[in-house]
mmCIF file of all heavy atoms in Angstrom:
data_model
loop_
_atom_site.group_PDB
_atom_site.id
_atom_site.type_symbol
_atom_site.label_atom_id
_atom_site.label_comp_id
_atom_site.label_asym_id
_atom_site.label_seq_id
_atom_site.Cartn_x
_atom_site.Cartn_y
_atom_site.Cartn_z
ATOM 1 N N LEU A 605 2.660 1.707 12.915
ATOM 2 C CA LEU A 605 2.768 0.350 13.399
ATOM 3 C C LEU A 605 1.831 -0.566 12.623
ATOM 4 O O LEU A 605 0.802 -0.135 12.088
ATOM 5 C CB LEU A 605 2.447 0.289 14.893
ATOM 6 C CG LEU A 605 3.305 1.185 15.808
ATOM 7 C CD1 LEU A 605 2.850 1.045 17.254
ATOM 8 C CD2 LEU A 605 4.774 0.836 15.668
ATOM 9 N N ALA A 606 2.187 -1.838 12.544
ATOM 10 C CA ALA A 606 1.365 -2.818 11.835
ATOM 11 C C ALA A 606 -0.020 -2.886 12.465
ATOM 12 O O ALA A 606 -0.159 -2.997 13.688
ATOM 13 C CB ALA A 606 2.032 -4.191 11.873
ATOM 14 N N GLY A 607 -1.049 -2.807 11.626
ATOM 15 C CA GLY A 607 -2.424 -2.881 12.103
ATOM 16 C C GLY A 607 -2.981 -1.563 12.589
ATOM 17 O O GLY A 607 -4.162 -1.488 12.958
ATOM 18 N N GLN A 608 -2.165 -0.515 12.602
ATOM 19 C CA GLN A 608 -2.620 0.799 13.037
ATOM 20 C C GLN A 608 -2.952 1.663 11.822
ATOM 21 O O GLN A 608 -2.391 1.495 10.747
ATOM 22 C CB GLN A 608 -1.556 1.484 13.896
ATOM 23 C CG GLN A 608 -1.182 0.722 15.145
ATOM 24 C CD GLN A 608 -2.336 0.608 16.110
ATOM 25 O OE1 GLN A 608 -3.092 1.568 16.306
ATOM 26 N NE2 GLN A 608 -2.488 -0.548 16.739
ATOM 27 N N GLY A 609 -3.846 2.614 11.997
ATOM 28 C CA GLY A 609 -4.249 3.463 10.880
ATOM 29 C C GLY A 609 -3.720 4.872 10.951
ATOM 30 O O GLY A 609 -3.858 5.640 9.996
ATOM 31 N N THR A 610 -3.116 5.247 12.074
ATOM 32 C CA THR A 610 -2.640 6.609 12.266
ATOM 33 C C THR A 610 -1.141 6.608 12.532
ATOM 34 O O THR A 610 -0.639 5.806 13.323
ATOM 35 C CB THR A 610 -3.365 7.281 13.447
ATOM 36 O OG1 THR A 610 -4.780 7.238 13.216
ATOM 37 C CG2 THR A 610 -2.925 8.728 13.594
ATOM 38 N N TRP A 611 -0.457 7.521 11.876
ATOM 39 C CA TRP A 611 0.974 7.665 12.097
ATOM 40 C C TRP A 611 1.236 8.306 13.456
ATOM 41 O O TRP A 611 0.422 9.083 13.963
ATOM 42 C CB TRP A 611 1.604 8.524 10.999
ATOM 43 C CG TRP A 611 1.621 7.854 9.659
ATOM 44 C CD1 TRP A 611 0.587 7.732 8.785
ATOM 45 C CD2 TRP A 611 2.744 7.208 9.037
ATOM 46 N NE1 TRP A 611 0.984 7.060 7.663
ATOM 47 C CE2 TRP A 611 2.314 6.724 7.777
ATOM 48 C CE3 TRP A 611 4.065 7.008 9.407
ATOM 49 C CZ2 TRP A 611 3.152 6.050 6.913
ATOM 50 C CZ3 TRP A 611 4.924 6.344 8.547
ATOM 51 C CH2 TRP A 611 4.462 5.862 7.314
ATOM 52 N N VAL A 612 2.402 7.973 14.038
ATOM 53 C CA VAL A 612 2.793 8.490 15.352
ATOM 54 C C VAL A 612 4.135 9.202 15.215
ATOM 55 O O VAL A 612 5.065 8.679 14.590
ATOM 56 C CB VAL A 612 2.908 7.351 16.386
ATOM 57 C CG1 VAL A 612 3.374 7.897 17.734
ATOM 58 C CG2 VAL A 612 1.576 6.618 16.522
ATOM 59 N N ARG A 613 4.214 10.385 15.773
ATOM 60 C CA ARG A 613 5.479 11.120 15.728
ATOM 61 C C ARG A 613 6.473 10.531 16.713
ATOM 62 O O ARG A 613 6.125 10.173 17.844
ATOM 63 C CB ARG A 613 5.225 12.599 16.032
ATOM 64 C CG ARG A 613 6.486 13.449 15.997
ATOM 65 C CD ARG A 613 6.153 14.921 16.084
ATOM 66 N NE ARG A 613 7.298 15.701 16.543
ATOM 67 C CZ ARG A 613 7.298 17.020 16.678
ATOM 68 N NH1 ARG A 613 6.181 17.702 16.407
ATOM 69 N NH2 ARG A 613 8.372 17.656 17.099
ATOM 70 N N VAL A 614 7.747 10.462 16.269
ATOM 71 C CA VAL A 614 8.799 9.857 17.085
ATOM 72 C C VAL A 614 9.929 10.870 17.277
ATOM 73 O O VAL A 614 10.473 11.397 16.300
ATOM 74 C CB VAL A 614 9.350 8.581 16.423
ATOM 75 C CG1 VAL A 614 10.465 7.982 17.271
ATOM 76 C CG2 VAL A 614 8.241 7.569 16.195
ATOM 77 N N GLY A 615 10.310 11.118 18.520
ATOM 78 C CA GLY A 615 11.466 11.951 18.815
ATOM 79 C C GLY A 615 11.271 13.409 18.447
ATOM 80 O O GLY A 615 10.188 13.871 18.074
ATOM 81 N N GLU A 616 12.386 14.146 18.543
ATOM 82 C CA GLU A 616 12.398 15.564 18.229
ATOM 83 C C GLU A 616 12.866 15.777 16.793
ATOM 84 O O GLU A 616 13.606 14.963 16.242
ATOM 85 C CB GLU A 616 13.323 16.315 19.185
ATOM 86 C CG GLU A 616 12.849 16.304 20.633
ATOM 87 C CD GLU A 616 11.500 16.973 20.790
ATOM 88 O OE1 GLU A 616 11.279 18.025 20.133
ATOM 89 O OE2 GLU A 616 10.662 16.455 21.555
ATOM 90 N N PRO A 617 12.455 16.866 16.163
ATOM 91 C CA PRO A 617 12.880 17.109 14.777
ATOM 92 C C PRO A 617 14.367 17.428 14.690
ATOM 93 O O PRO A 617 14.968 17.962 15.618
ATOM 94 C CB PRO A 617 12.017 18.306 14.354
ATOM 95 C CG PRO A 617 11.662 18.996 15.635
ATOM 96 C CD PRO A 617 11.534 17.919 16.668
ATOM 97 N N ASP A 618 14.951 17.080 13.528
ATOM 98 C CA ASP A 618 16.346 17.403 13.232
ATOM 99 C C ASP A 618 16.402 18.695 12.422
ATOM 100 O O ASP A 618 15.528 18.964 11.587
ATOM 101 C CB ASP A 618 17.009 16.272 12.444
ATOM 102 C CG ASP A 618 16.996 14.960 13.205
ATOM 103 O OD1 ASP A 618 17.184 15.006 14.439
ATOM 104 O OD2 ASP A 618 16.799 13.899 12.576
ATOM 105 N N ILE A 619 17.446 19.460 12.630
ATOM 106 C CA ILE A 619 17.627 20.711 11.905
ATOM 107 C C ILE A 619 18.216 20.418 10.529
ATOM 108 O O ILE A 619 19.171 19.655 10.389
ATOM 109 C CB ILE A 619 18.552 21.666 12.677
ATOM 110 C CG1 ILE A 619 17.976 21.944 14.073
ATOM 111 C CG2 ILE A 619 18.735 22.967 11.909
ATOM 112 C CD1 ILE A 619 16.623 22.611 14.067
ATOM 113 N N ASN A 620 17.630 21.041 9.497
ATOM 114 C CA ASN A 620 18.182 20.933 8.154
ATOM 115 C C ASN A 620 19.304 21.959 7.991
ATOM 116 O O ASN A 620 19.089 23.147 8.174
ATOM 117 C CB ASN A 620 17.099 21.183 7.091
ATOM 118 C CG ASN A 620 16.105 20.042 7.017
ATOM 119 O OD1 ASN A 620 16.408 18.926 7.420
ATOM 120 N ND2 ASN A 620 14.916 20.312 6.515
ATOM 121 N N VAL A 621 20.482 21.466 7.615
ATOM 122 C CA VAL A 621 21.648 22.336 7.541
ATOM 123 C C VAL A 621 21.811 22.969 6.159
ATOM 124 O O VAL A 621 22.687 23.820 5.971
ATOM 125 C CB VAL A 621 22.934 21.547 7.890
ATOM 126 C CG1 VAL A 621 22.860 21.030 9.310
ATOM 127 C CG2 VAL A 621 23.166 20.412 6.899
ATOM 128 N N PHE A 622 20.978 22.566 5.181
ATOM 129 C CA PHE A 622 21.176 23.038 3.815
ATOM 130 C C PHE A 622 20.361 24.278 3.474
ATOM 131 O O PHE A 622 20.505 24.842 2.390
ATOM 132 C CB PHE A 622 20.826 21.925 2.819
ATOM 133 C CG PHE A 622 21.688 20.708 2.983
ATOM 134 C CD1 PHE A 622 21.194 19.559 3.566
ATOM 135 C CD2 PHE A 622 23.009 20.709 2.557
ATOM 136 C CE1 PHE A 622 21.986 18.446 3.728
ATOM 137 C CE2 PHE A 622 23.816 19.603 2.708
ATOM 138 C CZ PHE A 622 23.311 18.466 3.304
ATOM 139 N N GLY A 623 19.474 24.701 4.371
ATOM 140 C CA GLY A 623 18.683 25.894 4.109
ATOM 141 C C GLY A 623 17.512 25.664 3.177
ATOM 142 O O GLY A 623 16.938 26.621 2.649
ATOM 143 N N GLY A 624 17.141 24.424 2.956
ATOM 144 C CA GLY A 624 16.012 24.075 2.096
ATOM 145 C C GLY A 624 15.684 22.605 2.266
ATOM 146 O O GLY A 624 16.336 21.877 3.016
ATOM 147 N N VAL A 625 14.653 22.170 1.577
ATOM 148 C CA VAL A 625 14.242 20.765 1.660
ATOM 149 C C VAL A 625 15.343 19.899 1.049
ATOM 150 O O VAL A 625 15.678 20.058 -0.133
ATOM 151 C CB VAL A 625 12.906 20.546 0.920
ATOM 152 C CG1 VAL A 625 12.533 19.078 0.924
ATOM 153 C CG2 VAL A 625 11.808 21.378 1.566
ATOM 154 N N PRO A 626 15.941 18.972 1.815
ATOM 155 C CA PRO A 626 17.081 18.198 1.311
ATOM 156 C C PRO A 626 16.695 17.006 0.436
ATOM 157 O O PRO A 626 17.583 16.276 -0.027
ATOM 158 C CB PRO A 626 17.760 17.719 2.593
ATOM 159 C CG PRO A 626 16.645 17.595 3.573
ATOM 160 C CD PRO A 626 15.658 18.684 3.238
ATOM 161 N N LEU A 627 15.413 16.793 0.200
ATOM 162 C CA LEU A 627 14.940 15.742 -0.691
ATOM 163 C C LEU A 627 14.259 16.402 -1.883
ATOM 164 O O LEU A 627 13.246 17.088 -1.723
ATOM 165 C CB LEU A 627 13.962 14.813 0.027
ATOM 166 C CG LEU A 627 13.299 13.723 -0.827
ATOM 167 C CD1 LEU A 627 14.333 12.753 -1.369
ATOM 168 C CD2 LEU A 627 12.236 12.973 -0.008
ATOM 169 N N ILE A 628 14.830 16.229 -3.074
ATOM 170 C CA ILE A 628 14.271 16.867 -4.261
ATOM 171 C C ILE A 628 13.978 15.804 -5.312
ATOM 172 O O ILE A 628 14.526 14.699 -5.286
ATOM 173 C CB ILE A 628 15.209 17.943 -4.842
ATOM 174 C CG1 ILE A 628 16.501 17.311 -5.364
ATOM 175 C CG2 ILE A 628 15.517 19.004 -3.793
ATOM 176 C CD1 ILE A 628 17.416 18.316 -6.050
ATOM 177 N N GLY A 629 13.095 16.162 -6.248
ATOM 178 C CA GLY A 629 12.691 15.232 -7.292
ATOM 179 C C GLY A 629 13.417 15.492 -8.599
ATOM 180 O O GLY A 629 13.685 16.642 -8.953
ATOM 181 N N TYR A 630 13.713 14.411 -9.304
ATOM 182 C CA TYR A 630 14.301 14.480 -10.647
ATOM 183 C C TYR A 630 13.269 13.925 -11.625
ATOM 184 O O TYR A 630 13.144 12.712 -11.785
ATOM 185 C CB TYR A 630 15.590 13.665 -10.707
ATOM 186 C CG TYR A 630 16.807 14.413 -10.220
ATOM 187 C CD1 TYR A 630 16.983 14.687 -8.872
ATOM 188 C CD2 TYR A 630 17.774 14.849 -11.110
ATOM 189 C CE1 TYR A 630 18.097 15.371 -8.414
ATOM 190 C CE2 TYR A 630 18.905 15.539 -10.663
ATOM 191 C CZ TYR A 630 19.062 15.794 -9.320
ATOM 192 O OH TYR A 630 20.165 16.473 -8.873
ATOM 193 N N PRO A 631 12.492 14.785 -12.270
ATOM 194 C CA PRO A 631 11.435 14.305 -13.164
ATOM 195 C C PRO A 631 11.961 14.000 -14.558
ATOM 196 O O PRO A 631 12.963 14.562 -15.007
ATOM 197 C CB PRO A 631 10.453 15.478 -13.200
ATOM 198 C CG PRO A 631 11.330 16.685 -13.007
ATOM 199 C CD PRO A 631 12.455 16.252 -12.119
ATOM 200 N N ALA A 632 11.253 13.103 -15.254
ATOM 201 C CA ALA A 632 11.556 12.851 -16.662
ATOM 202 C C ALA A 632 10.817 13.836 -17.558
ATOM 203 O O ALA A 632 11.256 14.123 -18.669
ATOM 204 C CB ALA A 632 11.179 11.416 -17.038
ATOM 205 N N ASN A 633 9.692 14.351 -17.075
ATOM 206 C CA ASN A 633 8.888 15.323 -17.805
ATOM 207 C C ASN A 633 7.961 15.999 -16.799
ATOM 208 O O ASN A 633 7.876 15.567 -15.638
ATOM 209 C CB ASN A 633 8.099 14.662 -18.947
ATOM 210 C CG ASN A 633 7.377 13.407 -18.486
ATOM 211 O OD1 ASN A 633 6.441 13.466 -17.684
ATOM 212 N ND2 ASN A 633 7.841 12.250 -18.949
ATOM 213 N N ARG A 634 7.294 17.022 -17.229
ATOM 214 C CA ARG A 634 6.441 17.765 -16.299
ATOM 215 C C ARG A 634 5.266 16.935 -15.818
ATOM 216 O O ARG A 634 4.793 17.092 -14.684
ATOM 217 C CB ARG A 634 5.938 19.050 -16.965
ATOM 218 C CG ARG A 634 5.110 19.930 -16.030
ATOM 219 C CD ARG A 634 4.755 21.259 -16.655
ATOM 220 N NE ARG A 634 3.899 22.056 -15.781
ATOM 221 C CZ ARG A 634 4.326 22.782 -14.766
ATOM 222 N NH1 ARG A 634 5.608 22.819 -14.487
ATOM 223 N NH2 ARG A 634 3.475 23.478 -14.026
ATOM 224 N N GLN A 635 4.766 16.024 -16.654
ATOM 225 C CA GLN A 635 3.615 15.196 -16.291
ATOM 226 C C GLN A 635 3.990 14.039 -15.364
ATOM 227 O O GLN A 635 3.115 13.318 -14.886
ATOM 228 C CB GLN A 635 2.937 14.636 -17.546
ATOM 229 C CG GLN A 635 2.312 15.682 -18.451
ATOM 230 C CD GLN A 635 3.341 16.430 -19.276
ATOM 231 O OE1 GLN A 635 4.455 15.935 -19.514
ATOM 232 N NE2 GLN A 635 2.995 17.625 -19.739
ATOM 233 N N LEU A 636 5.304 13.832 -15.140
ATOM 234 C CA LEU A 636 5.808 12.744 -14.283
ATOM 235 C C LEU A 636 5.348 11.387 -14.802
ATOM 236 O O LEU A 636 4.957 10.502 -14.031
ATOM 237 C CB LEU A 636 5.362 12.932 -12.834
ATOM 238 C CG LEU A 636 5.671 14.288 -12.200
ATOM 239 C CD1 LEU A 636 5.228 14.317 -10.743
ATOM 240 C CD2 LEU A 636 7.139 14.648 -12.315
ATOM 241 N N ARG A 637 5.424 11.203 -16.111
ATOM 242 C CA ARG A 637 5.004 9.943 -16.733
ATOM 243 C C ARG A 637 6.208 9.150 -17.205
ATOM 244 O O ARG A 637 7.207 9.740 -17.646
ATOM 245 C CB ARG A 637 4.089 10.223 -17.922
ATOM 246 C CG ARG A 637 2.739 10.790 -17.543
ATOM 247 C CD ARG A 637 1.967 11.231 -18.767
ATOM 248 N NE ARG A 637 0.629 11.704 -18.422
ATOM 249 C CZ ARG A 637 -0.168 12.342 -19.265
ATOM 250 N NH1 ARG A 637 0.248 12.584 -20.500
ATOM 251 N NH2 ARG A 637 -1.362 12.737 -18.878
ATOM 252 N N PRO A 638 6.145 7.827 -17.157
ATOM 253 C CA PRO A 638 7.240 7.012 -17.702
ATOM 254 C C PRO A 638 7.336 7.161 -19.212
ATOM 255 O O PRO A 638 6.367 7.569 -19.871
ATOM 256 C CB PRO A 638 6.856 5.583 -17.299
ATOM 257 C CG PRO A 638 5.380 5.627 -17.079
ATOM 258 C CD PRO A 638 5.072 7.002 -16.566
ATOM 259 N N ASP A 639 8.475 6.824 -19.761
ATOM 260 C CA ASP A 639 8.711 7.056 -21.189
ATOM 261 C C ASP A 639 7.771 6.261 -22.087
ATOM 262 O O ASP A 639 7.528 6.649 -23.225
ATOM 263 C CB ASP A 639 10.159 6.696 -21.539
ATOM 264 C CG ASP A 639 11.111 7.824 -21.176
ATOM 265 O OD1 ASP A 639 10.664 8.782 -20.532
ATOM 266 O OD2 ASP A 639 12.301 7.739 -21.535
ATOM 267 N N TYR A 640 7.274 5.142 -21.618
ATOM 268 C CA TYR A 640 6.409 4.295 -22.441
ATOM 269 C C TYR A 640 4.922 4.535 -22.144
ATOM 270 O O TYR A 640 4.064 3.729 -22.537
ATOM 271 C CB TYR A 640 6.747 2.816 -22.226
ATOM 272 C CG TYR A 640 6.733 2.368 -20.776
ATOM 273 C CD1 TYR A 640 5.557 1.913 -20.195
ATOM 274 C CD2 TYR A 640 7.875 2.399 -20.000
ATOM 275 C CE1 TYR A 640 5.521 1.508 -18.875
ATOM 276 C CE2 TYR A 640 7.866 1.984 -18.683
ATOM 277 C CZ TYR A 640 6.687 1.549 -18.120
ATOM 278 O OH TYR A 640 6.661 1.155 -16.808
ATOM 279 N N TRP A 641 4.601 5.639 -21.510
ATOM 280 C CA TRP A 641 3.224 5.917 -21.080
ATOM 281 C C TRP A 641 2.244 5.906 -22.248
ATOM 282 O O TRP A 641 1.193 5.249 -22.187
ATOM 283 C CB TRP A 641 3.184 7.264 -20.365
ATOM 284 C CG TRP A 641 1.804 7.766 -20.063
ATOM 285 C CD1 TRP A 641 1.070 8.656 -20.786
ATOM 286 C CD2 TRP A 641 0.975 7.411 -18.950
ATOM 287 N NE1 TRP A 641 -0.146 8.880 -20.216
ATOM 288 C CE2 TRP A 641 -0.232 8.123 -19.073
ATOM 289 C CE3 TRP A 641 1.146 6.569 -17.863
ATOM 290 C CZ2 TRP A 641 -1.255 8.010 -18.152
ATOM 291 C CZ3 TRP A 641 0.111 6.451 -16.942
ATOM 292 C CH2 TRP A 641 -1.058 7.171 -17.093
#
Side-chain angles (χ1 to χ4, degrees):
L605 303 179
Q608 300 295 319
T610 304
W611 291 79
V612 178
R613 180 171 159 178
V614 179
E616 295 299 320
D618 300 322
I619 302 298
N620 289 338
V621 298
F622 299 106
V625 176
L627 175 63
I628 65 175
Y630 276 72
N633 48 67
R634 184 174 177 81
Q635 295 76 23
L636 307 182
R637 291 172 176 169
D639 279 8
Y640 54 88
W641 171 263

